[in-house]
Amino acid sequence: MSHNAVLPNALQTPGIERLRNKRVVLASASPRRKEILRTLGLDPEVTPSKFPENLPFSSYEQIHEYPVATATQKAVEVYNRLVEADPDDPPDLVIGADTVVFTHALPATTLEMETGTRQELLEKPTSKVDNLRMLLDLNGSVFYPILTAPGYAVREFDERSLVYFADNPRHILEAYVENGEGADRAGGFAVQGLGALLIRKIDGDYHNVVGFPGAAFFKMLDILVEEDDDFLTI
């Protein structure tokens, strides 16, 4: 069976060239992740992962290891399922991703460490009350989402973007919660939608905040080509 996920607008980088005529699979149902990849020249096959995403957060010594592990398990589940379904047409590359939001960046100064600022993990809100609680925590503060994606042979990375919330009045936050846009988003907001009204600036990859770190992903592909001459050539 023929495959080609590389679009005509894609840059002719070493990593992209290795993906030509390969079966590339996105292990996510997120339309945002697929659209980001399409914008950057890649149109993967979509096979949503069935991994239950129930890893115990408390078992990870480093906070960033949690989304990395979840993303890896998503990709592995899809890879195994597709190979079992058709051993003669296995995926060449499966992209798994997981986005989480933390209420504060890691302490960078002695003062921050002394004041005892603690990070809280924010995933999807469970209710409107929970959504408002998240936005109140983020309001007037800095947080960062982490998104991870494993590549070939389970290569992992995490990408972090700092998002600065404005000091929004409570009635704006309540109106946003009632709108419902953030109900199914990590952190309870969507930066590419009405949630942009709550934010004053972003440091880092905007696409990472939306749902997929496109620049870091394509850089990783080039690194894999540099490290392994046989990457995706078999």
Side-chain angles (χ1 to χ4, degrees), residues 17 26 43 45 53 61 89 92 95 108 116 132 142 145 171 193 200 224 231 234:
E17 291 304 307
L26 175 62
D43 187 21
E45 173 186 334
E53 300 187 41
E61 182 177 348
D89 188 29
D92 295 290
I95 304 167
L132 182 59
V142 181
H171 74 272
R200 61 185 177 88
L224 290 174
F231 174 63
I234 299 175

PDB file of all heavy atoms in Angstrom, residues 17 26 43 45 53 61 89 92 95 108 116 132 142 145 171 193 200 224 231 234:
ATOM      1  N   GLU A  17      12.212  14.810   4.283  1.00  0.00           N
ATOM      2  CA  GLU A  17      12.492  13.950   3.139  1.00  0.00           C
ATOM      3  C   GLU A  17      12.433  12.473   3.524  1.00  0.00           C
ATOM      4  O   GLU A  17      12.021  11.633   2.719  1.00  0.00           O
ATOM      5  CB  GLU A  17      13.860  14.293   2.552  1.00  0.00           C
ATOM      6  CG  GLU A  17      13.919  15.662   1.878  1.00  0.00           C
ATOM      7  CD  GLU A  17      12.862  15.810   0.790  1.00  0.00           C
ATOM      8  OE1 GLU A  17      12.800  14.939  -0.101  1.00  0.00           O
ATOM      9  OE2 GLU A  17      12.084  16.780   0.852  1.00  0.00           O
ATOM     10  N   LEU A  26      -0.808   9.866  13.419  1.00  0.00           N
ATOM     11  CA  LEU A  26      -1.002  10.713  14.592  1.00  0.00           C
ATOM     12  C   LEU A  26      -1.923   9.984  15.552  1.00  0.00           C
ATOM     13  O   LEU A  26      -3.082   9.711  15.226  1.00  0.00           O
ATOM     14  CB  LEU A  26      -1.613  12.059  14.187  1.00  0.00           C
ATOM     15  CG  LEU A  26      -1.982  13.018  15.329  1.00  0.00           C
ATOM     16  CD1 LEU A  26      -0.746  13.420  16.117  1.00  0.00           C
ATOM     17  CD2 LEU A  26      -2.692  14.251  14.773  1.00  0.00           C
ATOM     18  N   ASP A  43       0.654  15.667   6.649  1.00  0.00           N
ATOM     19  CA  ASP A  43      -0.745  15.248   6.743  1.00  0.00           C
ATOM     20  C   ASP A  43      -0.799  13.779   7.166  1.00  0.00           C
ATOM     21  O   ASP A  43      -0.944  12.881   6.345  1.00  0.00           O
ATOM     22  CB  ASP A  43      -1.445  15.427   5.390  1.00  0.00           C
ATOM     23  CG  ASP A  43      -2.942  15.165   5.491  1.00  0.00           C
ATOM     24  OD1 ASP A  43      -3.493  15.238   6.604  1.00  0.00           O
ATOM     25  OD2 ASP A  43      -3.564  14.893   4.440  1.00  0.00           O
ATOM     26  N   GLU A  45      -1.964  10.158   8.876  1.00  0.00           N
ATOM     27  CA  GLU A  45      -3.156   9.344   9.114  1.00  0.00           C
ATOM     28  C   GLU A  45      -3.527   9.491  10.591  1.00  0.00           C
ATOM     29  O   GLU A  45      -2.647   9.558  11.444  1.00  0.00           O
ATOM     30  CB  GLU A  45      -2.810   7.892   8.784  1.00  0.00           C
ATOM     31  CG  GLU A  45      -3.838   6.863   9.104  1.00  0.00           C
ATOM     32  CD  GLU A  45      -3.289   5.461   8.857  1.00  0.00           C
ATOM     33  OE1 GLU A  45      -2.369   5.306   8.015  1.00  0.00           O
ATOM     34  OE2 GLU A  45      -3.758   4.528   9.532  1.00  0.00           O
ATOM     35  N   GLU A  53      -5.083   6.877  29.774  1.00  0.00           N
ATOM     36  CA  GLU A  53      -4.505   8.087  30.379  1.00  0.00           C
ATOM     37  C   GLU A  53      -4.756   8.141  31.885  1.00  0.00           C
ATOM     38  O   GLU A  53      -5.207   9.160  32.431  1.00  0.00           O
ATOM     39  CB  GLU A  53      -5.045   9.348  29.693  1.00  0.00           C
ATOM     40  CG  GLU A  53      -4.742   9.411  28.203  1.00  0.00           C
ATOM     41  CD  GLU A  53      -5.131  10.738  27.580  1.00  0.00           C
ATOM     42  OE1 GLU A  53      -4.896  11.785  28.218  1.00  0.00           O
ATOM     43  OE2 GLU A  53      -5.677  10.733  26.461  1.00  0.00           O
ATOM     44  N   GLU A  61       8.989  11.316  39.739  1.00  0.00           N
ATOM     45  CA  GLU A  61       9.854  12.168  40.548  1.00  0.00           C
ATOM     46  C   GLU A  61       9.944  13.574  39.974  1.00  0.00           C
ATOM     47  O   GLU A  61       9.894  14.567  40.701  1.00  0.00           O
ATOM     48  CB  GLU A  61      11.245  11.545  40.641  1.00  0.00           C
ATOM     49  CG  GLU A  61      12.217  12.324  41.504  1.00  0.00           C
ATOM     50  CD  GLU A  61      13.555  11.630  41.631  1.00  0.00           C
ATOM     51  OE1 GLU A  61      13.648  10.448  41.248  1.00  0.00           O
ATOM     52  OE2 GLU A  61      14.495  12.273  42.119  1.00  0.00           O
ATOM     53  N   ASP A  89       1.670  -3.942   6.722  1.00  0.00           N
ATOM     54  CA  ASP A  89       1.681  -2.499   6.489  1.00  0.00           C
ATOM     55  C   ASP A  89       1.806  -1.750   7.823  1.00  0.00           C
ATOM     56  O   ASP A  89       0.922  -0.991   8.216  1.00  0.00           O
ATOM     57  CB  ASP A  89       0.398  -2.058   5.766  1.00  0.00           C
ATOM     58  CG  ASP A  89       0.439  -0.607   5.336  1.00  0.00           C
ATOM     59  OD1 ASP A  89       1.549  -0.083   5.075  1.00  0.00           O
ATOM     60  OD2 ASP A  89      -0.642   0.025   5.283  1.00  0.00           O
ATOM     61  N   ASP A  92       5.376   3.594   9.920  1.00  0.00           N
ATOM     62  CA  ASP A  92       6.794   3.951   9.953  1.00  0.00           C
ATOM     63  C   ASP A  92       7.085   4.926  11.088  1.00  0.00           C
ATOM     64  O   ASP A  92       8.174   4.924  11.647  1.00  0.00           O
ATOM     65  CB  ASP A  92       7.202   4.586   8.620  1.00  0.00           C
ATOM     66  CG  ASP A  92       7.094   3.605   7.469  1.00  0.00           C
ATOM     67  OD1 ASP A  92       7.914   2.672   7.414  1.00  0.00           O
ATOM     68  OD2 ASP A  92       6.176   3.759   6.642  1.00  0.00           O
ATOM     69  N   ILE A  95       3.109   9.359  16.016  1.00  0.00           N
ATOM     70  CA  ILE A  95       3.286  10.574  16.811  1.00  0.00           C
ATOM     71  C   ILE A  95       2.254  10.567  17.941  1.00  0.00           C
ATOM     72  O   ILE A  95       1.048  10.587  17.693  1.00  0.00           O
ATOM     73  CB  ILE A  95       3.083  11.838  15.951  1.00  0.00           C
ATOM     74  CG1 ILE A  95       4.020  11.817  14.740  1.00  0.00           C
ATOM     75  CG2 ILE A  95       3.298  13.097  16.788  1.00  0.00           C
ATOM     76  CD1 ILE A  95       3.673  12.849  13.689  1.00  0.00           C
ATOM     77  N   ALA A 108      12.963  29.934  39.499  1.00  0.00           N
ATOM     78  CA  ALA A 108      14.207  30.302  38.816  1.00  0.00           C
ATOM     79  C   ALA A 108      15.104  31.158  39.695  1.00  0.00           C
ATOM     80  O   ALA A 108      16.266  31.378  39.374  1.00  0.00           O
ATOM     81  CB  ALA A 108      13.889  31.057  37.517  1.00  0.00           C
ATOM     82  N   GLY A 116       8.213  29.389  48.481  1.00  0.00           N
ATOM     83  CA  GLY A 116       7.502  28.112  48.459  1.00  0.00           C
ATOM     84  C   GLY A 116       6.440  28.000  47.379  1.00  0.00           C
ATOM     85  O   GLY A 116       5.433  27.322  47.554  1.00  0.00           O
ATOM     86  N   LEU A 132     -13.699  27.459  36.517  1.00  0.00           N
ATOM     87  CA  LEU A 132     -13.517  28.787  37.088  1.00  0.00           C
ATOM     88  C   LEU A 132     -12.370  28.791  38.096  1.00  0.00           C
ATOM     89  O   LEU A 132     -11.567  29.729  38.145  1.00  0.00           O
ATOM     90  CB  LEU A 132     -14.809  29.259  37.763  1.00  0.00           C
ATOM     91  CG  LEU A 132     -14.754  30.676  38.374  1.00  0.00           C
ATOM     92  CD1 LEU A 132     -14.425  31.708  37.308  1.00  0.00           C
ATOM     93  CD2 LEU A 132     -16.078  31.001  39.049  1.00  0.00           C
ATOM     94  N   VAL A 142       1.753  33.477  35.720  1.00  0.00           N
ATOM     95  CA  VAL A 142       2.478  32.847  34.617  1.00  0.00           C
ATOM     96  C   VAL A 142       2.404  31.342  34.802  1.00  0.00           C
ATOM     97  O   VAL A 142       2.562  30.829  35.900  1.00  0.00           O
ATOM     98  CB  VAL A 142       3.967  33.263  34.621  1.00  0.00           C
ATOM     99  CG1 VAL A 142       4.709  32.617  33.454  1.00  0.00           C
ATOM    100  CG2 VAL A 142       4.094  34.777  34.550  1.00  0.00           C
ATOM    101  N   PRO A 145       2.424  25.262  29.649  1.00  0.00           N
ATOM    102  CA  PRO A 145       2.004  23.942  29.225  1.00  0.00           C
ATOM    103  C   PRO A 145       3.217  23.156  28.761  1.00  0.00           C
ATOM    104  O   PRO A 145       4.189  23.726  28.270  1.00  0.00           O
ATOM    105  CB  PRO A 145       1.061  24.222  28.048  1.00  0.00           C
ATOM    106  CG  PRO A 145       1.581  25.489  27.473  1.00  0.00           C
ATOM    107  CD  PRO A 145       2.204  26.268  28.600  1.00  0.00           C
ATOM    108  N   HIS A 171     -15.817  38.793  36.417  1.00  0.00           N
ATOM    109  CA  HIS A 171     -16.975  38.611  35.541  1.00  0.00           C
ATOM    110  C   HIS A 171     -16.558  38.164  34.136  1.00  0.00           C
ATOM    111  O   HIS A 171     -17.308  37.460  33.451  1.00  0.00           O
ATOM    112  CB  HIS A 171     -17.829  39.885  35.474  1.00  0.00           C
ATOM    113  CG  HIS A 171     -17.229  40.995  34.652  1.00  0.00           C
ATOM    114  ND1 HIS A 171     -16.363  41.926  35.173  1.00  0.00           N
ATOM    115  CD2 HIS A 171     -17.370  41.312  33.335  1.00  0.00           C
ATOM    116  CE1 HIS A 171     -16.009  42.775  34.215  1.00  0.00           C
ATOM    117  NE2 HIS A 171     -16.600  42.427  33.093  1.00  0.00           N
ATOM    118  N   GLY A 193      -8.796  30.613  20.610  1.00  0.00           N
ATOM    119  CA  GLY A 193     -10.187  31.059  20.534  1.00  0.00           C
ATOM    120  C   GLY A 193     -10.429  32.259  21.417  1.00  0.00           C
ATOM    121  O   GLY A 193      -9.598  33.158  21.534  1.00  0.00           O
ATOM    122  N   ARG A 200      -2.106  38.031  28.073  1.00  0.00           N
ATOM    123  CA  ARG A 200      -1.412  39.243  27.624  1.00  0.00           C
ATOM    124  C   ARG A 200      -0.178  38.959  26.780  1.00  0.00           C
ATOM    125  O   ARG A 200       0.181  39.754  25.921  1.00  0.00           O
ATOM    126  CB  ARG A 200      -1.061  40.150  28.797  1.00  0.00           C
ATOM    127  CG  ARG A 200      -0.145  39.579  29.852  1.00  0.00           C
ATOM    128  CD  ARG A 200       0.003  40.560  31.026  1.00  0.00           C
ATOM    129  NE  ARG A 200       0.821  40.039  32.093  1.00  0.00           N
ATOM    130  CZ  ARG A 200       2.134  40.167  32.161  1.00  0.00           C
ATOM    131  NH1 ARG A 200       2.784  40.802  31.181  1.00  0.00           N
ATOM    132  NH2 ARG A 200       2.822  39.666  33.177  1.00  0.00           N
ATOM    133  N   LEU A 224      17.325  13.127  14.412  1.00  0.00           N
ATOM    134  CA  LEU A 224      17.312  11.680  14.247  1.00  0.00           C
ATOM    135  C   LEU A 224      18.034  11.269  12.971  1.00  0.00           C
ATOM    136  O   LEU A 224      18.734  10.253  12.937  1.00  0.00           O
ATOM    137  CB  LEU A 224      15.871  11.163  14.224  1.00  0.00           C
ATOM    138  CG  LEU A 224      15.124  11.226  15.560  1.00  0.00           C
ATOM    139  CD1 LEU A 224      13.669  10.830  15.371  1.00  0.00           C
ATOM    140  CD2 LEU A 224      15.785  10.319  16.585  1.00  0.00           C
ATOM    141  N   PHE A 231      17.727   5.941   9.711  1.00  0.00           N
ATOM    142  CA  PHE A 231      16.419   6.373  10.192  1.00  0.00           C
ATOM    143  C   PHE A 231      15.397   6.407   9.063  1.00  0.00           C
ATOM    144  O   PHE A 231      15.550   7.110   8.070  1.00  0.00           O
ATOM    145  CB  PHE A 231      16.541   7.753  10.830  1.00  0.00           C
ATOM    146  CG  PHE A 231      15.220   8.369  11.234  1.00  0.00           C
ATOM    147  CD1 PHE A 231      14.430   7.779  12.199  1.00  0.00           C
ATOM    148  CD2 PHE A 231      14.781   9.549  10.649  1.00  0.00           C
ATOM    149  CE1 PHE A 231      13.214   8.332  12.569  1.00  0.00           C
ATOM    150  CE2 PHE A 231      13.583  10.127  11.009  1.00  0.00           C
ATOM    151  CZ  PHE A 231      12.783   9.510  11.985  1.00  0.00           C
ATOM    152  N   ILE A 234      14.555   1.826   6.105  1.00  0.00           N
ATOM    153  CA  ILE A 234      14.308   0.396   5.953  1.00  0.00           C
ATOM    154  C   ILE A 234      12.867   0.169   5.508  1.00  0.00           C
ATOM    155  O   ILE A 234      11.952   0.762   6.057  1.00  0.00           O
ATOM    156  CB  ILE A 234      14.552  -0.357   7.282  1.00  0.00           C
ATOM    157  CG1 ILE A 234      16.013  -0.176   7.688  1.00  0.00           C
ATOM    158  CG2 ILE A 234      14.225  -1.818   7.141  1.00  0.00           C
ATOM    159  CD1 ILE A 234      16.345  -0.760   9.030  1.00  0.00           C
TER     160      ILE A 234
END
